[in-house]
Amino acid sequence: MSSDAPLMDTYARAPVTFVGGRGCTLFDDAGNEYLDCLGGLAVVAAGHANDRVTAAIAEQAAKLVHTSNIYWTRPMQDLAARLVELTGWGRVFFSNSGAEANECAIKLARKWAGAGRYKVVCAEGGFHGRTLATLAATGQPAKWAGFEPLPAGFVHAPFNDLDAFAAAVDDETAAILVEPVQGENGVVPADPDFLAGLRELASAAGVLLMFDEVQTGVGRTGRFWAHQLYGVTPDVVTVAKALANGLPIGATIASESAAVFAPGDHATTFGGGPVPCAAALATLEVLVDGGHVAGVERKSALLAQCLSSLPQVRQVRGKGLLLAAVLDTPRAVEITASALANGLVVNAVAPDAVRFAPPLVIGDEQIADAAQLFALAIDEVLA
Ligand SMILES: *Cc1c(COP(=O)(O)O)cnc(C)c1O
């Protein structure tokens, strides 16, 4: 149901109020069940109401919720160690969202590069957040309208066009920032040569290579990081969405030589708080130690196969369990609404593309059910 709650009018919300969830199932306030193939925008990777994560949140909430970053707390230390172990390198700064993780990366690049070098080269179509600086980094001019002038120093080049990126890097460049798979731009994966070329370009030019893995991190593509899937190591990587299975958290991980912040350079009141960090540790236990990340490749192939077999699906693109069904009709928004009415949660990421980013714990039968419900939604709209 829609609502007249006194909220700012920032979202074109779907007419549903969810009140509960379990695994890949959501329940609304009218008692209807939904198969969740979106996971709260690639967030709830361990599934709704995951027992292990719930217990970690409850235990930590009963013990200690907040002390501020002027003191040490255990979950933050443990989570940093776990992330560095999974990454293979780095030092971590914790924040509360994807945009904040990218803000941190941008500030870090400016400090690392030194006076006069402040530009960040980003991709057209890329998405990095809605704060002023990350909006400037976002390569979608439609989202800038009404908020200009944006912070200076962001340059955009076409995604997957290495020559254009090379031409955009100059003496004032501090970093290159791209997503390995553009999530909000319709689920568009980078070409392997493009990312490998950016690595060479960044090293040769003496600028930082920064990957925004806010959406692709935490096993979404079948490796812990999408860059591990590509075999290209950045200097800085950011993550948020799935890290704490729905609690707000962001992390910026920088190589030892790029981690140049000194006390006073950057800070946050809530970032690295005990509860989200405990939730993240449990999420990693479920996803990594529980074998779900290792299972992504097989489930991805199954979902891609089920979706490709539908007559109106022209192409399935993406990596792992971040896939878009590209339709031969520009009616993805209507099809998504029809899917919701039929009990399938997905979202339109382009006029002709529907995103599937289910919890990584999704079962084979649920994958088949999702494709069937999607077929039904397409038929209803195109009938
Ligand atoms: C969602 C997203 C962000 C922004 O994250 P918030 O938590 O909404 O600030 C940034 N980059 C990418 C790639 C994203 O998918």
Side-chain angles (χ1 to χ4, degrees), residues 80-122:
R82 186 80 218 262
L83 281 173
V84 167
E85 171 198 311
L86 289 162
T87 308
W89 46 271
R91 279 183 181 271
V92 186
F93 181 88
F94 287 119
S95 51
N96 310 285
S97 68
E100 280 181 71
N102 288 330
E103 287 274 353
C104 171
I106 293 161
K107 282 181 68 177
L108 193 65
R110 287 189 175 193
K111 173 144 195 215
W112 174 86
R117 292 175 60 212
Y118 64 98
K119 288 185 190 164
V120 180
V121 182
C122 308

